[in-house]
Amino acid sequence: MDFLTVIIEWFPYLIGGIFATLGLVGSALLLGVIFGLPMAVGQVYGKRPIRFVIGIYVWFFRGLPVLVLLLLFYFGIFPGLGMDIPAFFVGATVLGLRGAAYQSQIFRGAIQSVSEGQMIAARSVGMTKLQSIRNVILPQAVRVALPGWSNEYPNILTDSAICYAIGVMELMTRTSQIVSQTYITMPMYLVCAGIFILLNYAGMRVLHM
């Protein structure tokens, strides 16, 4: 009974954490597409220096744990650049930049799955290379990439809990604060886990639709 009372009392506080978590995920997915898709095009059609730079980027962000990246950007890179950025935006930026490294490989594979004849046909009717990529290759490649890209949602959702380390007021952080106030440990973390499962299921259903 005490547990139910605590849940009812603190549920509005948890709702704020849910919105913060979804904000992190949505921002990261969007940032991942904004950076990942051009990087994929650069890896397939770019000159060697461009492919090399993108390869270094992908290697860096895929090679480091999320926690290390968060601490590196929050305590090192952004302060070193004289930028005082709120923890939420640091978390969204790191998740988005890391997601871009993974999404670029998804989009790259999809672009490479489109027959080279499509590019040849587009060029033969007078399109430039850029026009061919934008109007012929990418519309086909994005459709191919969607199933793989949708798997980034649960990955980023679960990674968002690590933003707890820099104080982002997302679901995990708020759950831990409730635990520290009420000393109800396992039931609260089970509630947190249940909410993550529901967000995962609902998000994947939407993406599949």
Side-chain angles (χ1 to χ4, degrees):
M1 205 54 193
D2 289 339
F3 170 64
L4 293 177
T5 303
V6 169
I7 289 293
I8 294 171
E9 181 181 350
W10 288 91
F11 192 70
Y13 191 66
L14 282 177
I15 291 291
I18 293 172
F19 281 116
T21 294
L22 292 176
L24 284 171
V25 175
S27 301
L29 283 173
L30 180 61
L31 202 59
V33 173
I34 291 173
F35 285 97
L37 191 56
M39 285 196 297
V41 173
Q43 285 184 307
V44 177
Y45 297 109
K47 296 184 182 298
R48 188 171 181 177
I50 294 175
R51 296 199 304 269
F52 176 77
V53 171
I54 295 173
I56 292 296
Y57 175 95
V58 172
W59 171 80
F60 177 80
F61 279 96
R62 292 180 69 179
L64 291 177
V66 180
L67 179 58
V68 174
L69 288 170
L70 284 169
L71 298 177
L72 186 62
F73 274 80
Y74 188 66
F75 294 108
I77 293 176
F78 285 138
L81 295 173
M83 302 169 67
D84 184 16
I85 300 179
F88 176 88
F89 292 103
V90 174
T93 300
V94 168
L95 292 177
L97 293 177
R98 188 172 189 267
Y102 284 93
Q103 290 179 42
S104 69
Q105 303 310 295
I106 296 171
F107 290 126
R108 185 183 72 167
I111 291 171
Q112 291 175 328
S113 72
V114 179
S115 169
E116 290 185 13
Q118 299 285 323
M119 174 64 78
I120 295 171
R123 297 300 300 275
S124 69
V125 297
M127 288 187 182
T128 65
K129 189 174 183 178
L130 184 60
Q131 288 174 330
S132 302
I133 294 170
R134 185 176 67 243
N135 298 316
V136 178
I137 304 299
L138 286 184
Q140 298 178 72
V142 168
R143 290 187 182 94
V144 173
L146 277 176
W149 178 84
S150 66
N151 288 329
E152 281 297 290
Y153 171 81
N155 292 336
I156 294 175
L157 177 64
T158 52
D159 286 345
S160 69
I162 304 176
C163 293
Y164 164 83
I166 60 172
V168 179
M169 297 301 291
E170 43 73 59
L171 181 59
M172 184 65 190
T173 305
R174 294 189 182 225
T175 301
S176 296
Q177 290 181 342
I178 294 172
V179 169
S180 68
Q181 293 287 325
T182 62
Y183 300 103
I184 299 176
T185 307
M186 185 56 68
M188 286 306 308
Y189 285 125
L190 287 174
V191 168
C192 179
I195 293 173
F196 269 111
I197 290 172
L198 288 175
L199 292 178
N200 195 343
Y201 175 77
M204 291 303 294
R205 291 288 295 177
V206 170
L207 288 171
H208 287 163
M209 289 171 60

